[in-house]
Amino acid sequence: MSTAESNRETAAAQQTGAGELDRLMDGIGEALGLGEDKLSAPVRAEAEAVLAKAAARRRISESHTVVAFAGSTGSGKSSLFNAVAGLEIARVGAKRPTTSLPTACIWGSGGEEILDWLKVPQRHRTWRESALDADDQRALHGLILLDLPDHDSTEVEHKIESDRMIELVDVLIWVVDPQKYADHALHARYLRPLAGHAEVMVVVLNQIDTLGETERDACLAHLRTLLDEDGLAASQLRSASAITREGVGELRELLAATLQTRQAAQERLLADARSVAERIRDELGAPVPSGAAGSPAERGQLVEAMTEAAGVPAIASTVHADYLRRSHRATAYPLTAWRSRSGPDPLGSRHEQSMRAELRREALPSTNRSHRARVGVAAQKVAAGLAEDLPPSWQTEIAEAARTSTRQIGETLDEALGRVDITPRRPAWWGAVRALQLLFLALTVAGALWLLVQIVLGSLGVPPFAGSVLWWVLPGGLLVAGAAGSAITSLLASGARRRGADRAAAEVDERLRGVIAEVADHAYLSPLTSVVERHRRLVERLRLEPASPDEQPADARSQVAAGR
């Protein structure tokens, strides 16, 4: 692979890692902002520490990579540190422990800011550069190599300082010796808990000069098995001897490769973020499946309870009766229709426009305590279904949101229903039928009056009214036509009125149920589902991206994780 291609892949890997790191840090910050009850105290403390570390480390120059030699008493860690540095920097004493503070060797210029952040004292800093080195050390420019106090020291302050630095450095090189490489305390207290940081850790079996070839192979094979069991399959295993310098050159090459990618700091922060994100996800639990919040069955039960509480069937019945009364007055036989004007007027259609709205509101039944209780029961079932698989603190939040929404739902429902116009529209056919009825009434009256005049004139013997058949047939025809037309029109209109009343009642019922469904969604389900969606969004933000070697080439990631 050419240098240009390698650089492009490295840049792509850095960008991908930075994006995931930003997402995880945002998710961790959001989790911390949820409230004290959402995370346990240990997880909260760890999350706060990781956020603070990430903010500080990303603010400091990325041109330096911090690598620490960590190990137990007698592992030869300081001797190996000196061998890699090529200088006698770290104190190597027969009597341990030697110091409670780390020792730093810096290649190239700068590094003061990050050393101040790490709290490495000035007197423990050595810059590894001289005119005699020529270009021998150029490959390691930007490296800050630390020799940490023994993690198993009998001095408490040594152990505390070692643990502090282990949390802060970019890359950890664990130095073990043939006698104590299988030490349970090392594996249980450090290596196993850091399994998520395997890609930024290297284990070095030191003092191999004390072993024969067969013993060396056996120790390395056993140690490899232990590391794999600890979850550190991605960590490299190397061997070295500070006395014979065997393996020292390979360690320097490994450090140079790590520096070349400039990803170690990001990889360490990403490992920290993944570790904390996984712990937070464990406490958050699995999210409610998408679509389960406010499922059709639960929502339907709530809407039905609210529909009964709002008295929608009674409202529809009122609209049905009002339509029949108004349509009868408009389309029935005029004399009959005139008599119906004195009947009940449930929706105020006889009153002035200013009074109709008030009368219509009075026709809507308000929800009472019994209604609200039924709605509350249905609402609690929805809340219980949503919170069933969530952690207790989230269940509490949903329950509180449900109680608040239930207390307000009656007032919200009354207000929403009051905005619905339940007065049926006046159909155009009413006017046509009314015109026909008036026409037939006019024919009937004209025929009747004409006949009456004929009878009076005939009784007086006034010709030609007394003897002309035509003058008797015409008024009779008008009378029969008017009466028959009125009867047929009234019969047809009666059926149309019933069908129209059914449609008007159904339309009002549909509009009211639509408003009730909106109230159920926005006034009740929305506050509950917002909690569920916030939980789901947070879990999604804290998801861990799969680390696929096929998708992310080894040389585009930290070289500490490359190969074994």
Side-chain angles (χ1 to χ4, degrees), residues 303-503:
V303 170
E304 190 60 35
M306 294 172 64
T307 299
E308 293 179 4
V312 170
I315 298 174
S317 179
T318 300
V319 169
H320 190 277
D322 180 74
Y323 185 98
L324 286 177
R325 187 195 61 77
R326 292 195 302 129
S327 63
H328 183 270
R329 191 179 67 183
T331 64
Y333 188 62
L335 297 180
T336 306
W338 178 80
R339 294 179 57 188
S340 68
R341 289 178 175 272
S342 60
D345 186 19
L347 297 183
S349 54
R350 289 202 310 269
H351 297 79
E352 295 295 330
Q353 184 66 34
S354 60
M355 297 180 61
R356 291 179 187 174
E358 183 65 28
L359 289 171
R360 284 196 298 271
R361 282 194 294 271
E362 291 179 359
L364 297 172
S366 298
T367 55
N368 56 33
R369 182 177 299 178
S370 175
H371 293 152
R372 287 193 294 271
R374 289 197 296 272
V375 172
V377 170
Q380 288 301 324
K381 287 183 179 179
V382 176
L386 289 177
E388 183 178 5
D389 297 325
L390 294 179
S393 59
W394 292 84
Q395 292 182 2
T396 301
E397 184 175 352
I398 287 180
E400 181 57 35
R403 284 192 292 269
T404 301
S405 298
T406 302
R407 286 194 297 267
Q408 300 172 350
I409 202 168
E411 180 180 349
T412 306
L413 184 58
D414 290 342
E415 180 182 353
L417 293 179
R419 295 195 298 268
V420 179
D421 184 7
I422 61 174
T423 304
R425 294 184 298 274
R426 182 184 179 90
W429 67 268
W430 286 8
V433 172
R434 184 178 183 82
L436 286 176
Q437 291 285 33
L438 291 176
L439 174 62
F440 291 136
L441 177 61
L443 293 177
T444 303
V445 171
L449 290 178
W450 192 344
L451 283 177
L452 179 61
V453 170
Q454 289 284 77
I455 292 172
V456 171
L457 292 179
S459 63
L460 297 176
V462 178
F465 299 103
S468 175
V469 175
L470 180 61
W471 286 99
W472 289 97
V473 171
L474 286 177
L478 291 176
L479 178 62
V480 171
S486 293
I488 294 172
T489 301
S490 297
L491 181 62
L492 295 175
S494 176
R497 289 195 297 268
R498 289 193 297 271
R499 291 189 295 272
D502 292 340
R503 284 195 300 271

